[in-house]
Structures are given as C-alpha cells and as structure tokens.
Amino acid sequence: MNILFLSLGRYWSVNEHEIYTDLLREFIKNGDKVYILSPIERREHKKAEVIEEKNSQIIKVKIGNIQKTNILEKGISTLLVEYQFLAALKRHWKDVRFDLVLYPTPPITFVKVVRYIKKRDQATAYLMLKDIFPQNAVDIGILRKKGILGVIYRYFRRKEKKLYQISDRIGCMSQANAAYIIRNNPDIDPCKVEICPNAIEPRFLSISSEEKIRLRETYGLPTDQKIFIYGGNLGKPQGINFIIECIKKCREIKEAYFMIVGSGTEFQKLEQFVKSERPQNIKLLSSIPRDEFERLTAACDIGLIFLDHRFTIPNFPSRLLSYMQAGLPVLAATDVNTDIGKVIEQENIGYWCESADLDTFQSLVQKLAHEENGFADPRKVLQEKYSVQVAFRTIMEGLSIYGD
C-alpha cells in the first residue's frame, strides 16, 4: 500500500521520534510505503529537495514563512501551501498511485490536494483531527465572528467544513473531541467519526539516581525538591498569564520547583516575568533537542499541562504522552471542555483543576510535593491505550483496508 502524508511538520527523516513519524513507521513495518510532503519556509534559506530512505520518501516543499512572522505573511503563506504542495506532488510523484492519504490538522487548507488524490487514485482520505480551527482562534481572541476578522473566520470555517466533507474517516483525539465535531457539524455523517488517540512508539527511559542528580545539576535544578516540568509550546493557547500567577502562588511551597522548557509567541512574556521578579522557584529555558528533553523529563517528578480557560473546544495535548513515557504523574490545569483531566484522573495518573482556579492549583502542587506516589503506572497506560499500534489498528479497522 502507498501512503501519502501531508503535514506542515518539519520532517527530514521518517526515523524521527514524534507522533506522526512513529505512526508512519508502523505502516512501514507492515510492508507499506510512505511518501511525505513537508515544508521548508523561506526564512530557512534551504533548497527544496527529495530525501529517500527505505520504503519512504520525503519531499521538502519550499513555502513562505508561517512561523515567527507577522499575521499577514502567515495568512498569505498558509493560503498558498496547498497549491505549492499540489505542484510538488504532480512534479515528483505523478506516476505513484496512492491508496491512503493521511493528514492532520493543522492546517485545514489541504482540501485541493486531498481532492486531487481521491479523484486521481480513488484513494481513501483519513483526517487525524488534532486542532479545531478556526474556533480555537476565536476562543482565545485571535479571531472574531464579526467585523473584518469575521470575514477571515467565515473563510476558514468554509475550508474546515470542506475538509470534513471530503474526508472518508475522521479520527479524533478523545471522546469529547469527537462529540464536539458531531454536535457542531450536523452535516457530517457520525459514522465516519471515530476515536484515534494521540500515539507514540514508547521509548521507556530509566535513569539511575546518580544520573538524575547529574542532569539536575547540569540544568541548575535543585536536587532536594520535587520538580514540576512543562515542555512545549508557550503561546496564547497555554494561558501564560495563568502560568505566571501559578508560579507566584506557589512561591511559599519550598518543596516545589518549576522547570519550563519551550518556545512560542508568549515566551518573552514569561521571560520578562522571570527577569523582572526573579522568582526563586522556576527555571526557564528555550527549546532543547527532543532526546535531551526526554532525558530531562525523566529526571523530574511531575509533568505539567496548561490550556487557556477560555477554550470551548476540547483540546487534548500530546505532551501528556511524553510525561507518561517518562513515568511521571501529571498535573493538568485546563478549560472545562477538554476531557484530558477526566482521562488523567480516571486512569489514576495525576490530578486536574480548572485553569482559572489558582487556589486549587496551589493545593494540588502542595499535595504532590509532599505525598508519596500512589498513582498507577503511566507507562502501562501509555502502552495499552496510546501506543502507535493502537492508532494503526484504529485506522486500518475503520477503513477495512486489511480486512478482518
């Protein structure tokens, strides 16, 4: 089977470790061939190229700037991506016939590419729904449904509906995610919506007590406190103002220390807070290599998840998987619409509070900083419910490609 994967992710090898490449390798293990379209932004000053590996090819498509740029350039570049991807597809793989096309959101602007492959090859189209745009942008004030921004919202909402319509199956991250899509898109056939969770190929890393101390000392972390670690995007979706207030609120908990690693549009706000107020309970770093982050996570004690309390859409951050892989319990502070907190508490791998409730957050940090770990093994939960084998089986069973 030939599989086409469309993404705005920056892939240089199918052997990278993250949710999509882990899944694609599972297809390769089962004898399939994978073809990936992945962008190079203009600011990177690199040439478009074709990367070949065993049973896989990656085309690096030259596009405009989408990250670390102004909203006008980002918008124009996003609109042009599907035309640039389609041109690259026709130029390089005109003789390849695809059986399955996989594509995650974001973005929602691959409709023309998907439609072309479906018509040309009678391929099956599978949407991995990781982001509900443009409603998520409305929730946190980036877009509005009225005025000039309302015009942009309605344009992308039409694109979103077309993507749902053209998809043969829609894999959602959680039950709340699926219910939201069905409820807010009554023209979608509910039968084509299923749960296909975020999933990884677990790489369980165990480190000795000596290595744990060495890693903490390397990063200037205390060796006698519980380390609460957050890693990932630091943008509007994370509710940076709440994170700052959490750090302030927990200053008096001497047994707790916060490690924040990431980058994004709101990183400078957090950096300015650290520089101006000099809190003694936080270390802030910009992004570090994935392998090093996994080792650092294993040297910490509790994983943190943050989502802005204004979200009406049910996000389900994949960062949870990194913490589970490291065997860490989790403290999630989110909106009330996501069910990630429900999952965490039902699986007994951590606690949840609303990301507008500072007092409860503080009390949970206090509790985690003092209590012994009475949680279930997060690694066992990861292996059973969030491994790539689970996602792979879901996709194949839903499409009946391999039969019974």
Side-chain angles (χ1 to χ4, degrees):
M1 186 168 69
N2 290 330
I3 298 166
L4 175 64
F5 179 69
L6 310 172
S7 174
L8 289 184
R10 275 63 176 165
Y11 302 113
W12 293 93
S13 170
V14 77
N15 293 310
E16 296 172 15
H17 286 279
E18 58 99 64
I19 58 174
Y20 300 125
T21 47
D22 283 5
L23 176 60
L24 294 174
R25 284 198 307 279
E26 191 65 22
F27 280 99
I28 292 173
K29 288 177 185 176
N30 283 270
D32 301 318
K33 293 184 178 180
V34 170
Y35 298 79
I36 302 170
L37 287 174
S38 172
I40 301 177
E41 293 188 21
R42 186 173 60 250
R43 63 180 173 79
E44 297 178 67
H45 302 294
K46 294 180 180 179
K47 294 181 179 180
E49 61 179 297
V50 178
I51 302 168
E52 294 200 38
E53 295 177 313
K54 185 177 180 180
N55 289 330
S56 71
Q57 284 187 16
I58 302 174
I59 292 180
K60 302 298 294 184
V61 184
K62 197 70 174 286
I63 69 169
N65 295 325
I66 290 179
Q67 297 182 344
K68 299 178 182 179
T69 187
N70 61 73
I71 191 168
L72 178 61
E73 184 178 22
K74 179 184 178 73
I76 294 173
S77 297
T78 300
L79 293 176
L80 291 175
V81 163
E82 65 179 339
Y83 298 98
Q84 293 162 329
F85 270 41
L86 187 56
L89 176 67
K90 291 179 178 179
R91 183 167 62 252
H92 293 279
W93 293 330
K94 63 180 182 295
D95 296 324
V96 180
R97 290 299 176 261
F98 297 103
D99 303 286
L100 173 65
V101 53
L102 291 172
Y103 44 99
T105 56
I108 58 170
T109 52
F110 282 147
V111 173
K112 285 183 170 58
V113 186
V114 175
R115 181 183 290 128
Y116 173 78
I117 292 299
K118 286 192 67 174
K119 182 178 180 180
R120 190 193 73 172
D121 301 346
Q122 287 74 55
T124 301
Y126 195 102
L127 168 61
M128 295 179 286
L129 190 69
K130 308 297 185 184
D131 187 48
I132 302 176
F133 179 84
Q135 183 58 47
N136 61 351
V138 173
D139 287 347
I140 55 178
I142 296 175
L143 287 180
R144 297 187 181 90
K145 293 185 177 181
K146 296 181 179 180
I148 296 297
L149 292 178
V151 175
I152 300 173
Y153 165 80
R154 288 188 293 274
Y155 171 81
F156 282 116
R157 178 63 171 138
R158 287 194 297 271
K159 282 280 190 181
E160 179 192 17
K161 288 182 177 180
K162 287 180 181 178
L163 193 65
Y164 296 158
Q165 181 183 32
I166 202 171
S167 301
D168 297 301
R169 303 289 289 182
I170 301 175
C172 297
M173 297 179 290
S174 70
Q175 188 60 54
N177 202 255
Y180 179 93
I181 289 298
I182 293 171
R183 184 173 64 250
N184 290 277
N185 298 274
D187 53 329
I188 293 179
D189 179 1
C191 292
K192 73 177 185 179
V193 179
E194 63 188 8
I195 309 301
C196 186
N198 291 330
I200 59 173
E201 180 182 27
R203 296 192 299 169
F204 297 132
L205 176 64
S206 296
I207 61 174
S208 65
S209 299
E210 293 77 12
E211 177 72 359
K212 184 175 181 178
I213 291 173
R214 189 193 68 77
L215 279 166
R216 289 193 179 196
E217 290 177 343
T218 297
Y219 285 95
L221 301 174
T223 58
D224 59 348
Q225 292 174 269
K226 289 285 185 73
I227 307 295
F228 292 71
I229 184 169
Y230 172 84
N233 186 47
L234 292 170
K236 291 186 180 298
Q238 283 66 50
I240 300 301
N241 288 337
F242 179 75
I243 295 177
I244 290 172
E245 292 305 314
C246 287
I247 302 302
K248 292 179 180 179
K249 189 78 171 177
C250 295
R251 276 174 169 166
E252 302 308 313
I253 305 177
K254 301 301 182 184
E255 299 81 6
Y257 192 91
F258 295 90
M259 178 73 188
I260 309 292
V261 183
S263 62
T265 58
E266 302 290 285
F267 177 85
Q268 288 185 336
K269 181 182 289 186
L270 197 53
E271 185 179 44
Q272 183 57 41
F273 158 69
V274 172
K275 287 181 177 179
S276 61
E277 300 202 20
R278 299 184 180 278
Q280 299 301 302
N281 61 339
I282 180 177
K283 167 76 71 171
L284 176 65
L285 289 178
S286 58
S287 295
I288 60 177
R290 179 179 293 273
D291 287 349
E292 189 64 18
F293 176 77
E294 289 182 357
R295 287 165 52 79
L296 177 59
T297 301
C300 296
D301 300 290
I302 296 100
L304 292 170
I305 291 173
F306 292 104
L307 287 172
D308 193 293
H309 73 280
R310 295 173 292 174
F311 275 122
T312 64
I313 62 165
N315 294 293
F316 203 97
S318 62
R319 183 57 58 192
L320 173 64
L321 307 184
S322 296
Y323 302 144
M324 295 169 76
Q325 179 176 249
L328 303 188
V330 180
L331 173 56
T334 74
D335 58 274
V336 298
N337 292 294
T338 176
D339 53 352
I340 193 169
K342 182 179 179 181
V343 168
I344 288 169
E345 294 191 334
Q346 283 181 343
E347 298 291 350
N348 188 31
I349 56 172
Y351 298 124
W352 171 86
C353 70
E354 187 177 354
S355 53
D357 188 347
L358 279 170
D359 290 337
T360 300
F361 183 88
Q362 181 193 41
S363 68
L364 291 176
V365 169
Q366 181 86 21
K367 187 174 184 180
L368 286 162
H370 289 88
E371 70 178 12
E372 292 299 318
N373 188 344
F375 297 111
D377 183 358
R379 294 176 174 180
K380 183 178 180 181
V381 177
L382 174 63
Q383 187 67 58
E384 291 178 353
K385 298 186 177 181
Y386 300 95
S387 69
V388 287
Q389 289 83 9
V390 173
F392 175 80
R393 286 196 303 269
T394 299
I395 294 172
M396 292 299 95
E397 290 171 2
L399 297 174
S400 298
I401 289 177
Y402 286 165
D404 297 330

